[in-house]
Amino acid sequence: MPMWNPDCEAMSREELEKLQVKRLREAVERVAATVPFYQKRFQEAGVSPEDINSLDDLKRLPFTEKNDLRENYPFGLFTVSLEQIVRIHASSGTTGKPTVGGYTRADLELWAEVMARTVTCAGVTAQDVVHNAYGYGLFTGGLGFHLGAEKVGATVVPISGGMTRRQVMLMEDFGATVLTCTPSYSLVLAEEAAEMGVDFKKHMKVRTGIFGAEPWSEKMRAEIEDKLGVEAYDIYGLTEIIGPGVSVECEHHNGLHIFEDHFLPEIIDPDTGEPLPYGEEGELVFTTLTKEAMPVIRYRTRDRTVLHVEPCACGRTMVRMEKILGRTDDMLIVRGVNVFPQLVERTLLTVEGLEPHYQIVIDRPKDQLDILEVWVEASPDLFNPIDTRALDALKEKAESELAQTLGVSARVKLMGPRSLERSLGKAKRVVDKRDI
Ligand code: ADP
Ligand code: ZN
């Protein structure tokens, strides 16, 4: 299958490394000249841009973490003034404040470039009709795919999420050949289509699906491919780096090629921070090499994976990361949205009438989207005697507060006093019943 940009995607490792060193040095110079946060960090670490002369020097640079983004919220890590920023996206953070990403015009061009590579890697061309059911908005999924699909000249249908019946109808009527959405939503589409009497394999032209934004297994891939009659490609990205377009599978499905000329990956031991060699599992860390508005230096993703550098039969020389194997923190992904248990707790504590005893229960009934439940004890006063009206109002209040801060809806189940199990050690706050 063709590459969008063979000069970059298939360049020799030697040439690539030279380019990476040069760009790394420039990125470090850029943030050192403009961002007080990095100036301070580099000073504390005793490192300056002149020290960066090889990829090995990368380890001299300090890490950046999600918390650093929070402390510099909203625009503290930008290297340019807002006048040069043409777009802002955001993803849910660990507290009530989101993680922000800013883009200059050049950043949007870069994003379009890596997304064009991404969709081309999955075989998308100007002949395709791309049904893009990733959410449009602050979330990077929808607009990221939009840029890339448009750049390769495909016909983009910016349907965004929701209204599943209408999606099925339009997919059929417009003759969509490519579906882009979260893997779990693809199964919802298949299920809804079946209910409408539409056989995906018979009535739809769709042959390729590009799925990401949440973890999914090989078992789920097999199920999707079987139900939708598509070849399923895994795509990975995160707002802090650029959004989707960081890595994607090629037709060999042997890991996700990282566009390393723009995003420099490392694997580290999450406990010690020491870099690990290719082939070993650890935490994925990225340094953006060419981003203008908000470069990040050694950003700890908290995602666990393994990197492989052996050549791939597709001809791309870019390293491959294995499917994400898990997280090094407790972040959950519910319907594609990042949910931090800590934030659930903080939110519950602000609602009067709730007790600090709670449990988060997540389930995914067959071919449906995730259901997030929060079981929380209500104040004993409300049960003695039982005050149904106050309990209903409290439930409604808690649900609305959670929806506001999490960005995803949660069902609240109010529990009687001492009905949630007390733990002697670390409380078990999350029960994840999903079989992914
Ligand atoms: P996204 O639009 O990709 O969801 P966010 O910044 O909201 O962007 O979330 C990024 C996180 O989503 C990643 O750090 C990772 O944990 C998860 N994620 C994204 N893509 C995948 C994928 N293909 N497989 C597993 N997890 C993924
Ligand atoms: Zn390949």
Side-chain angles (χ1 to χ4, degrees):
M1 258 202 263
M3 289 178 212
W4 177 255
N5 191 339
D7 287 349
C8 296
E9 292 171 77
M11 72 168 71
S12 73
R13 297 286 312 170
E14 227 180 342
E15 213 186 330
L16 174 65
E17 187 171 327
K18 251 193 241 153
L19 182 67
Q20 286 174 323
V21 173
K22 175 176 164 279
R23 289 181 168 174
L24 174 63
R25 168 83 173 247
E26 287 164 3
V28 172
E29 278 168 356
R30 182 177 186 87
V31 296
T34 50
V35 184
F37 163 78
Y38 286 110
Q39 287 162 353
K40 185 159 168 275
R41 280 294 170 87
F42 291 171
Q43 199 178 16
E44 282 163 7
V47 62
S48 61
E50 303 77 67
D51 298 327
I52 306 302
N53 299 302
S54 73
L55 288 186
D56 206 41
D57 293 329
L58 187 58
K59 61 175 187 286
R60 305 178 63 168
L61 295 164
F63 293 114
T64 308
E65 302 196 37
K66 202 164 188 104
N67 193 39
D68 298 320
L69 270 64
R70 181 170 71 87
E71 283 175 1
N72 290 282
Y73 175 87
F75 306 146
L77 296 182
F78 289 3
T79 65
V80 294
S81 69
L82 279 188
E83 196 184 339
Q84 285 165 274
I85 300 280
V86 295
R87 176 91 69 78
I88 283 170
H89 280 283
S91 163
S92 38
T94 47
T95 63
K97 300 285 191 188
T99 299
V100 175
Y103 304 72
T104 62
R105 204 166 289 287
D107 291 330
L108 288 186
E109 273 160 28
L110 164 65
W111 200 12
E113 157 74 19
V114 289
M115 278 310 292
R117 290 185 194 179
T118 297
V119 298
T120 306
C121 201
V124 179
T125 69
Q127 266 87 54
D128 280 302
V129 176
V130 178
H131 184 92
N132 185 16
Y134 281 105
Y136 279 66
L138 273 182
F139 173 64
T140 53
L143 284 154
F145 267 93
H146 191 102
L147 276 175
E150 222 170 51
K151 188 162 175 102
V152 303
T155 309
V156 190
V157 183
I159 189 89
S160 195
M163 295 204 276
T164 308
R165 285 196 153 233
R166 188 158 157 268
Q167 299 229 2
V168 171
M169 179 185 86
L170 295 183
M171 271 187 88
E172 192 181 359
D173 294 350
F174 294 174
T177 52
V178 177
L179 169 64
T180 57
C181 61
T182 58
S184 47
Y185 191 61
S186 76
L187 288 174
V188 175
L189 276 168
E191 172 77 5
E192 187 74 44
E195 268 173 31
M196 292 163 70
V198 176
D199 181 337
F200 240 88
K201 287 184 177 163
K202 243 195 243 148
H203 301 114
M204 301 275 197
K205 287 196 190 146
V206 63
R207 59 159 212 289
T208 300
I210 311 176
F211 305 118
E214 65 183 8
W216 52 308
S217 59
E218 288 305 326
K219 184 176 135 223
M220 196 163 163
R221 188 203 301 266
E223 191 180 343
I224 292 172
E225 293 191 332
D226 178 50
K227 286 203 169 138
L228 285 89
V230 296
E231 181 169 349
Y233 289 80
D234 192 6
I235 172 174
Y236 169 88
L238 59 165
T239 308
E240 294 87 330
I241 305 305
I242 198 157
V246 174
S247 66
V248 68
E249 285 177 343
C250 67
E251 72 266 29
H252 300 288
H253 303 283
N254 53 359
L256 292 79
H257 287 286
I258 297 173
F259 297 119
E260 284 179 280
D261 49 336
H262 297 290
F263 314 115
L264 182 61
E266 294 173 84
I267 295 288
I268 61 159
D269 177 327
D271 299 324
T272 63
E274 280 306 306
L276 295 174
Y278 291 126
E280 281 190 33
E281 183 184 333
E283 181 179 334
L284 183 59
V285 170
F286 280 109
T287 300
T288 63
L289 296 175
T290 50
K291 274 223 320 214
E292 256 184 15
M294 202 182 118
V296 285
I297 306 294
R298 299 193 89 198
Y299 183 71
R300 293 187 60 162
T301 64
R302 303 281 169 193
D303 291 316
R304 304 186 70 103
T305 187
V306 183
L307 296 183
H308 297 284
V309 75
E310 297 75 27
C312 179
C314 73
R316 288 179 184 78
T317 49
M318 311 258 128
V319 290
R320 287 165 287 124
M321 56 181 252
E322 286 184 19
K323 240 178 184 320
I324 295 294
L325 304 167
R327 299 270 309 167
T328 65
D329 65 4
D330 57 0
M331 184 182 93
L332 302 161
I333 302 185
V334 179
R335 276 170 260 152
V337 177
N338 306 344
V339 172
F340 294 91
Q342 227 183 314
L343 181 55
V344 172
E345 176 169 319
R346 284 170 68 118
T347 308
L348 294 176
L349 289 174
T350 64
V351 179
E352 204 174 327
L354 296 180
E355 299 287 306
H357 302 291
Y358 70 95
Q359 202 159 47
I360 297 168
V361 182
I362 311 167
D363 204 358
R364 181 181 291 173
K366 192 145 184 45
D367 299 332
Q368 287 179 42
L369 291 178
D370 300 331
I371 294 174
L372 173 64
E373 283 189 339
V374 177
W375 299 5
V376 55
E377 289 183 18
S379 156
D381 307 346
L382 300 173
F383 292 90
N384 192 19
I386 193 151
D387 184 344
T388 326
R389 217 197 241 165
L391 284 169
D392 285 348
L394 182 57
K395 173 179 148 74
E396 208 171 289
K397 167 97 175 126
E399 285 179 346
S400 116
E401 289 294 319
L402 285 170
Q404 293 266 348
T405 52
L406 301 181
V408 64
S409 63
R411 290 184 194 159
V412 169
K413 207 163 123 187
L414 292 181
M415 316 284 288
R418 303 200 66 80
S419 57
L420 285 175
E421 202 186 320
R422 299 292 188 263
S423 81
L424 300 172
K426 199 170 146 60
K428 184 164 170 51
R429 297 299 195 190
V430 178
V431 179
D432 196 338
K433 299 183 182 163
R434 290 176 295 188
D435 173 23
I436 294 175

